[in-house]
Amino acid sequence: RKEVEQDPGPFNVPEGATVAFNCTYSNSASQSFFWYRQDCRKEPKLLMSVYSSGNEDGRFTAQLNRASQYISLLIRDSKLSDSATYLCVVIYSGNTPLVFGKGTRLSVIA
Amino acid sequence: GAGVSQSPSNKVTEKGKDVELRCDPISGHTALYWYRQSLGQGLEFLIYFQGNSAPDKSGLPSDRFSAERTGGSVSTLTIQRTQQEDSAVYLCASSEIGLGAFFGQGTRLTVV
């Protein structure tokens, strides 16, 4: 199975900090990319899709670098409620399942 | 329904018994996925359906595991002769093909 790799962390940052996560994928033909968030003992929730041109949703910015085969997630002005595990997800083609990274754990500290 | 529904939410079973886990996907979603997650671990892919067919069942850990999907909707994951190592949260998700998936709340399976 093609791999999606993430730094497991934990990333411990103070409130208000900016933090960035990267995720690398192995298949250059990958088609679709997403970031999910998972809180402790909860199901993963779709945070945002990642588009080639990059996209922003409030304090969150996602970018795709096809040449280097990585995606990134930037969180500005971190809140305590941002503490969670962030999962990188790749779809290699329309006929294949979502491939999840193992996640990066973020703790935002007061 | 508005979201993915899984039942039961919790299941405690004795080692050696069979269990069935049910997933009701979001209406109209063609793709359906089963994953499992042990405490503190990442998601482990089990099986993927497009419509009623399963183009990728490579993640099923043994022949004690099987899954089916009928009518392009409800899916059932069956575990026969459960073992203690089967204890985990079993997560179902659905999506339109090629788009991000939405998860149910999972079934927490405990084999005693």
Side-chain angles (χ1 to χ4, degrees), chain A residues 1 31-34 36 38 40-46 49 87 89 91 93-103, chain B residues 33 35 37 39 41-43 45 47-48 50 55-56 58-59 91 93 95 97-106 108:
Chain A
R1 173 162 303 281
Q31 293 186 351
S32 304
F33 309 88
F34 310 92
Y36 278 71
Q38 186 173 27
C40 189
R41 294 182 169 265
K42 298 287 189 180
E43 75 277 16
K45 293 190 175 174
L46 180 61
S49 302
L87 302 164
V89 181
I91 298 179
S93 74
N95 198 36
T96 60
L98 304 173
V99 180
F100 280 80
K102 294 193 182 302
Chain B
Y33 315 81
Y35 295 85
Q37 189 172 34
L39 191 63
Q41 302 298 310
L43 274 78
F45 169 74
I47 189 168
Y48 162 61
Q50 271 196 26
D56 190 341
S58 63
L91 291 159
S95 75
I97 294 191
L99 299 183
F102 296 89
F103 281 82
Q105 293 186 323
R108 186 175 301 276

Coordinates of all heavy atoms in Angstrom, one line a residue, chain A residues 1 31-34 36 38 40-46 49 87 89 91 93-103, chain B residues 33 35 37 39 41-43 45 47-48 50 55-56 58-59 91 93 95 97-106 108:
Chain A
R1 N 0.8 -1.2 0.0 CA 0.0 0.0 0.0 C 0.9 1.2 0.0 O 1.9 1.3 0.7 CB -0.9 0.0 1.2 CG -1.7 1.2 1.4 CD -2.9 1.0 2.4 NE -3.8 0.0 1.9 CZ -4.7 0.1 0.9 NH1 -4.8 1.3 0.3 NH2 -5.4 -0.9 0.6
Q31 N -4.3 12.1 -6.6 CA -5.3 13.0 -7.2 C -5.9 14.0 -6.2 O -6.1 15.1 -6.5 CB -6.4 12.2 -7.8 CG -6.0 11.5 -9.0 CD -7.1 10.8 -9.7 OE1 -8.2 10.8 -9.2 NE2 -6.9 10.3 -10.9
S32 N -6.2 13.5 -5.0 CA -6.9 14.3 -4.0 C -6.3 14.2 -2.7 O -5.7 13.2 -2.3 CB -8.4 13.8 -3.9 OG -9.0 13.8 -5.2
F33 N -6.4 15.4 -1.9 CA -5.7 15.5 -0.7 C -6.6 16.2 0.3 O -7.3 17.1 0.0 CB -4.4 16.3 -0.9 CG -3.6 15.9 -2.0 CD1 -3.8 16.3 -3.3 CD2 -2.5 14.9 -1.8 CE1 -3.0 15.8 -4.4 CE2 -1.8 14.5 -2.8 CZ -2.0 14.9 -4.1
F34 N -6.5 15.8 1.6 CA -7.3 16.3 2.6 C -6.6 16.4 3.9 O -5.7 15.6 4.2 CB -8.6 15.4 2.8 CG -9.3 15.1 1.6 CD1 -9.0 13.9 0.9 CD2 -10.3 15.9 1.1 CE1 -9.7 13.6 -0.3 CE2 -10.9 15.6 -0.1 CZ -10.6 14.4 -0.8
Y36 N -7.7 16.0 8.0 CA -8.7 15.6 9.0 C -8.2 16.0 10.3 O -7.0 16.1 10.6 CB -9.0 14.1 8.9 CG -9.9 13.7 7.8 CD1 -9.5 13.7 6.5 CD2 -11.2 13.3 8.1 CE1 -10.4 13.3 5.5 CE2 -12.1 12.8 7.1 CZ -11.7 12.9 5.8 OH -12.5 12.5 4.8
Q38 N -8.8 14.8 14.4 CA -9.3 13.8 15.3 C -9.1 14.1 16.8 O -7.9 14.3 17.2 CB -8.8 12.4 15.0 CG -9.5 11.3 15.8 CD -9.1 9.9 15.4 OE1 -8.0 9.6 14.9 NE2 -10.0 8.9 15.6
C40 N -9.5 13.2 20.9 CA -9.3 12.0 21.6 C -10.6 11.2 21.7 O -11.7 11.8 22.1 CB -8.7 12.3 23.0 SG -8.2 10.8 23.9
R41 N -10.6 9.9 21.4 CA -11.8 9.0 21.5 C -12.9 9.5 20.6 O -14.1 9.1 20.9 CB -12.2 8.9 22.9 CG -11.1 8.1 23.8 CD -11.6 7.9 25.2 NE -10.7 7.0 25.9 CZ -10.9 5.7 26.0 NH1 -12.0 5.2 25.5 NH2 -10.1 5.0 26.7
K42 N -12.7 10.2 19.6 CA -13.7 10.6 18.6 C -13.4 10.2 17.2 O -12.2 9.8 17.0 CB -13.9 12.2 18.6 CG -14.3 12.7 20.0 CD -15.8 12.4 20.2 CE -16.2 13.2 21.5 NZ -17.7 12.9 21.8
E43 N -14.3 10.2 16.3 CA -14.0 9.9 15.0 C -13.3 11.0 14.2 O -13.5 12.2 14.6 CB -15.4 9.5 14.2 CG -16.2 10.7 13.8 CD -17.1 11.2 15.0 OE1 -16.9 10.8 16.1 OE2 -18.1 12.0 14.6
P44 N -12.5 10.7 13.2 CA -11.9 11.8 12.4 C -13.0 12.7 11.7 O -14.0 12.2 11.3 CB -11.1 11.0 11.4 CG -10.9 9.7 11.9 CD -12.2 9.4 12.7
K45 N -12.7 13.9 11.6 CA -13.6 14.9 11.0 C -12.8 15.6 9.9 O -11.7 16.1 10.1 CB -14.2 15.8 12.0 CG -15.1 15.1 13.0 CD -15.9 16.1 13.8 CE -16.9 15.3 14.7 NZ -17.6 16.1 15.6
L46 N -13.5 15.7 8.7 CA -12.9 16.4 7.6 C -12.7 17.9 7.9 O -13.6 18.6 8.3 CB -13.8 16.3 6.4 CG -13.3 17.0 5.1 CD1 -12.0 16.4 4.6 CD2 -14.4 16.8 4.0
S49 N -10.2 20.3 2.3 CA -9.6 19.7 1.2 C -8.4 20.5 0.9 O -8.2 21.7 1.3 CB -10.5 19.7 0.0 OG -11.7 19.0 0.3
L87 N -4.7 14.6 10.7 CA -4.4 13.4 9.8 C -4.4 13.9 8.4 O -5.3 14.6 7.9 CB -5.5 12.4 10.0 CG -5.7 11.8 11.4 CD1 -7.1 11.1 11.5 CD2 -4.6 10.9 11.7
V89 N -4.5 12.9 4.5 CA -5.2 11.9 3.7 C -5.0 12.1 2.2 O -5.1 13.2 1.7 CB -6.7 11.9 4.0 CG1 -7.5 10.8 3.3 CG2 -7.0 11.7 5.5
I91 N -5.9 10.4 -1.8 CA -6.6 9.5 -2.7 C -5.7 9.4 -3.9 O -5.4 10.4 -4.6 CB -8.0 9.9 -3.1 CG1 -8.9 10.0 -1.8 CG2 -8.6 8.9 -4.1 CD1 -10.3 10.5 -2.1
S93 N -6.3 7.5 -6.7 CA -7.1 7.5 -8.0 C -8.5 7.4 -7.6 O -8.9 7.1 -6.4 CB -6.7 6.4 -9.0 OG -7.2 5.2 -8.5
G94 N -9.4 7.6 -8.6 CA -10.9 7.6 -8.2 C -11.3 6.3 -7.8 O -12.4 6.2 -7.1
N95 N -10.5 5.2 -8.0 CA -11.0 3.9 -7.7 C -10.3 3.3 -6.5 O -10.3 2.1 -6.3 CB -10.8 3.0 -8.9 CG -11.6 1.7 -8.9 OD1 -12.7 1.7 -8.4 ND2 -11.0 0.6 -9.3
T96 N -9.7 4.1 -5.7 CA -9.0 3.6 -4.5 C -9.4 4.3 -3.3 O -10.0 5.4 -3.3 CB -7.4 3.9 -4.7 OG1 -7.2 5.3 -4.8 CG2 -6.9 3.1 -5.9
P97 N -9.2 3.7 -2.1 CA -9.7 4.3 -0.9 C -8.8 5.4 -0.4 O -7.7 5.6 -0.9 CB -9.6 3.1 0.1 CG -8.5 2.2 -0.4 CD -8.6 2.3 -1.9
L98 N -9.3 6.1 0.6 CA -8.5 7.1 1.3 C -7.4 6.4 2.0 O -7.5 5.4 2.6 CB -9.4 7.8 2.3 CG -10.7 8.4 1.9 CD1 -11.5 8.9 3.1 CD2 -10.4 9.6 0.9
V99 N -6.2 7.0 1.9 CA -5.0 6.5 2.6 C -4.7 7.6 3.7 O -4.4 8.7 3.4 CB -3.8 6.3 1.7 CG1 -2.6 5.8 2.4 CG2 -4.2 5.3 0.5
F100 N -4.7 7.1 4.9 CA -4.5 8.0 6.0 C -3.0 8.0 6.5 O -2.4 6.9 6.6 CB -5.4 7.7 7.2 CG -6.8 8.1 7.1 CD1 -7.7 7.5 6.3 CD2 -7.2 9.3 7.8 CE1 -9.0 7.9 6.2 CE2 -8.5 9.7 7.7 CZ -9.4 9.1 6.9
G101 N -2.5 9.1 6.8 CA -1.2 9.1 7.6 C -1.6 8.8 9.1 O -2.8 8.7 9.4
K102 N -0.5 8.6 9.9 CA -0.8 8.2 11.3 C -1.1 9.4 12.1 O -1.4 9.2 13.3 CB 0.4 7.4 11.8 CG 0.6 6.1 11.1 CD 1.5 5.1 11.8 CE 1.7 3.8 11.1 NZ 0.4 3.1 10.9
G103 N -1.0 10.6 11.6 CA -1.4 11.8 12.4 C -0.3 12.5 13.1 O 0.8 11.9 13.4
Chain B
Y33 N -16.2 3.0 3.3 CA -14.9 2.5 3.9 C -15.1 2.0 5.3 O -15.9 2.5 6.0 CB -13.9 3.6 4.0 CG -13.8 4.5 2.8 CD1 -14.7 5.6 2.6 CD2 -12.8 4.4 1.8 CE1 -14.6 6.4 1.5 CE2 -12.7 5.2 0.8 CZ -13.6 6.3 0.6 OH -13.5 7.1 -0.5
Y35 N -12.6 1.1 8.6 CA -11.3 1.2 9.2 C -11.4 0.7 10.6 O -12.6 0.7 11.2 CB -10.8 2.7 9.3 CG -10.5 3.3 7.9 CD1 -11.5 3.9 7.2 CD2 -9.2 3.3 7.4 CE1 -11.3 4.5 6.0 CE2 -9.0 3.9 6.1 CZ -10.0 4.5 5.5 OH -9.8 5.1 4.2
Q37 N -9.4 1.2 14.6 CA -8.4 2.0 15.3 C -8.3 1.5 16.8 O -9.3 1.5 17.5 CB -8.8 3.5 15.3 CG -7.7 4.4 15.9 CD -8.1 5.9 15.7 OE1 -9.3 6.3 15.7 NE2 -7.1 6.7 15.4
L39 N -6.6 1.8 20.6 CA -6.3 3.0 21.4 C -4.9 3.5 21.2 O -3.9 2.8 21.3 CB -6.5 2.6 22.9 CG -6.5 3.8 23.9 CD1 -7.7 4.7 23.6 CD2 -6.6 3.3 25.3
Q41 N -3.5 4.4 18.5 CA -2.9 4.1 17.2 C -3.6 4.8 16.0 O -4.7 5.4 16.2 CB -3.1 2.6 17.0 CG -2.4 1.7 18.1 CD -0.9 2.0 18.2 OE1 -0.2 1.9 17.2 NE2 -0.5 2.2 19.4
G42 N -3.0 4.7 14.9 CA -3.6 5.3 13.7 C -4.7 4.4 13.1 O -5.0 3.4 13.6
L43 N -5.3 4.9 12.0 CA -6.4 4.2 11.4 C -5.8 3.1 10.6 O -4.9 3.2 9.8 CB -7.2 5.1 10.5 CG -8.3 5.9 11.2 CD1 -7.8 7.0 11.9 CD2 -9.4 6.3 10.2
F45 N -6.8 0.5 7.6 CA -7.7 0.3 6.5 C -8.2 -1.2 6.5 O -7.3 -2.1 6.6 CB -7.1 0.7 5.2 CG -7.9 0.2 4.0 CD1 -9.1 0.9 3.6 CD2 -7.5 -0.9 3.2 CE1 -9.8 0.5 2.5 CE2 -8.2 -1.3 2.1 CZ -9.4 -0.6 1.8
I47 N -11.5 -2.3 4.4 CA -12.1 -2.6 3.1 C -12.8 -1.4 2.6 O -13.2 -0.5 3.3 CB -13.1 -3.8 3.3 CG1 -13.6 -4.3 1.9 CG2 -14.3 -3.4 4.2 CD1 -14.4 -5.6 2.0
Y48 N -12.9 -1.4 1.3 CA -13.5 -0.2 0.5 C -14.5 -0.7 -0.4 O -14.2 -1.7 -1.2 CB -12.3 0.5 -0.2 CG -12.7 1.5 -1.3 CD1 -13.5 2.6 -1.0 CD2 -12.2 1.3 -2.6 CE1 -13.8 3.5 -2.0 CE2 -12.5 2.1 -3.6 CZ -13.3 3.3 -3.3 OH -13.5 4.1 -4.3
Q50 N -17.2 0.4 -3.6 CA -17.8 1.3 -4.6 C -19.1 0.7 -5.0 O -19.1 -0.4 -5.6 CB -16.9 1.5 -5.8 CG -15.8 2.5 -5.7 CD -15.3 2.9 -7.1 OE1 -15.9 2.8 -8.1 NE2 -14.1 3.4 -7.1
P55 N -13.6 -3.2 -4.5 CA -12.3 -3.2 -5.3 C -11.1 -3.4 -4.5 O -10.0 -3.8 -5.0 CB -12.3 -1.9 -6.1 CG -13.2 -1.0 -5.3 CD -14.2 -1.9 -4.7
D56 N -11.2 -3.1 -3.2 CA -10.0 -3.2 -2.3 C -10.4 -3.8 -1.0 O -11.0 -3.1 -0.2 CB -9.3 -1.8 -2.2 CG -7.9 -2.0 -1.5 OD1 -7.7 -3.0 -0.9 OD2 -7.2 -1.0 -1.6
S58 N -8.0 -5.5 0.7 CA -6.6 -5.9 1.1 C -6.3 -5.8 2.6 O -5.4 -6.4 3.1 CB -5.6 -5.1 0.3 OG -5.6 -3.8 0.6
G59 N -7.1 -4.9 3.2 CA -6.8 -4.7 4.6 C -7.5 -5.6 5.6 O -7.2 -5.6 6.8
L91 N -14.6 1.9 12.5 CA -15.1 3.2 12.0 C -15.5 3.0 10.5 O -14.8 2.3 9.7 CB -14.0 4.3 12.0 CG -13.7 4.8 13.4 CD1 -12.3 5.4 13.4 CD2 -14.7 5.8 13.9
A93 N -16.9 5.1 7.0 CA -17.0 6.4 6.4 C -17.6 6.2 5.0 O -17.5 5.2 4.4 CB -15.6 7.0 6.3
S95 N -18.4 8.5 1.1 CA -18.1 9.7 0.4 C -18.7 9.6 -1.1 O -19.0 8.4 -1.5 CB -16.6 9.9 0.3 OG -16.0 9.0 -0.6
I97 N -17.3 9.5 -4.8 CA -16.0 9.0 -5.2 C -15.0 10.2 -5.5 O -15.3 11.2 -6.1 CB -16.1 8.2 -6.5 CG1 -16.9 6.9 -6.2 CG2 -14.8 7.8 -7.1 CD1 -17.0 5.9 -7.2
G98 N -13.8 10.0 -4.9 CA -12.8 11.0 -5.1 C -12.9 12.2 -4.1 O -12.0 13.1 -4.2
L99 N -13.9 12.2 -3.3 CA -14.0 13.4 -2.4 C -13.8 12.9 -0.9 O -13.7 11.7 -0.7 CB -15.4 14.0 -2.5 CG -15.8 14.5 -3.9 CD1 -17.2 15.1 -3.8 CD2 -14.8 15.5 -4.3
G100 N -13.6 13.9 -0.1 CA -13.4 13.6 1.3 C -14.5 12.8 1.9 O -15.7 13.0 1.5
A101 N -14.2 11.9 2.9 CA -15.2 11.1 3.5 C -15.7 11.6 4.8 O -14.9 12.3 5.5 CB -14.7 9.6 3.6
F102 N -16.9 11.2 5.2 CA -17.4 11.5 6.5 C -17.6 10.3 7.3 O -18.1 9.3 6.8 CB -18.8 12.2 6.3 CG -18.6 13.5 5.6 CD1 -18.7 13.6 4.2 CD2 -18.3 14.7 6.3 CE1 -18.5 14.8 3.5 CE2 -18.2 15.9 5.6 CZ -18.2 15.9 4.2
F103 N -17.2 10.3 8.6 CA -17.2 9.2 9.4 C -18.4 9.1 10.3 O -18.9 10.1 10.7 CB -15.9 9.2 10.3 CG -14.6 8.8 9.6 CD1 -13.9 9.7 8.8 CD2 -14.2 7.5 9.8 CE1 -12.8 9.3 8.2 CE2 -13.0 7.1 9.1 CZ -12.3 8.0 8.4
G104 N -18.8 7.9 10.6 CA -19.7 7.6 11.7 C -18.9 7.7 13.0 O -17.7 7.8 13.1
Q105 N -19.7 7.5 14.1 CA -19.0 7.6 15.5 C -18.3 6.4 15.9 O -17.7 6.4 16.9 CB -20.1 8.1 16.5 CG -20.6 9.5 16.2 CD -21.5 10.0 17.3 OE1 -22.3 9.2 17.9 NE2 -21.5 11.2 17.6
G106 N -18.5 5.3 15.1 CA -17.7 4.1 15.4 C -18.5 3.1 16.3 O -19.4 3.5 17.0
R108 N -17.4 0.6 19.3 CA -16.3 0.1 20.2 C -16.5 -1.3 20.5 O -17.5 -1.7 21.2 CB -16.3 1.0 21.4 CG -15.1 0.7 22.3 CD -15.0 1.7 23.5 NE -15.0 3.1 23.0 CZ -13.8 3.7 22.7 NH1 -12.7 3.0 22.8 NH2 -13.8 4.9 22.3

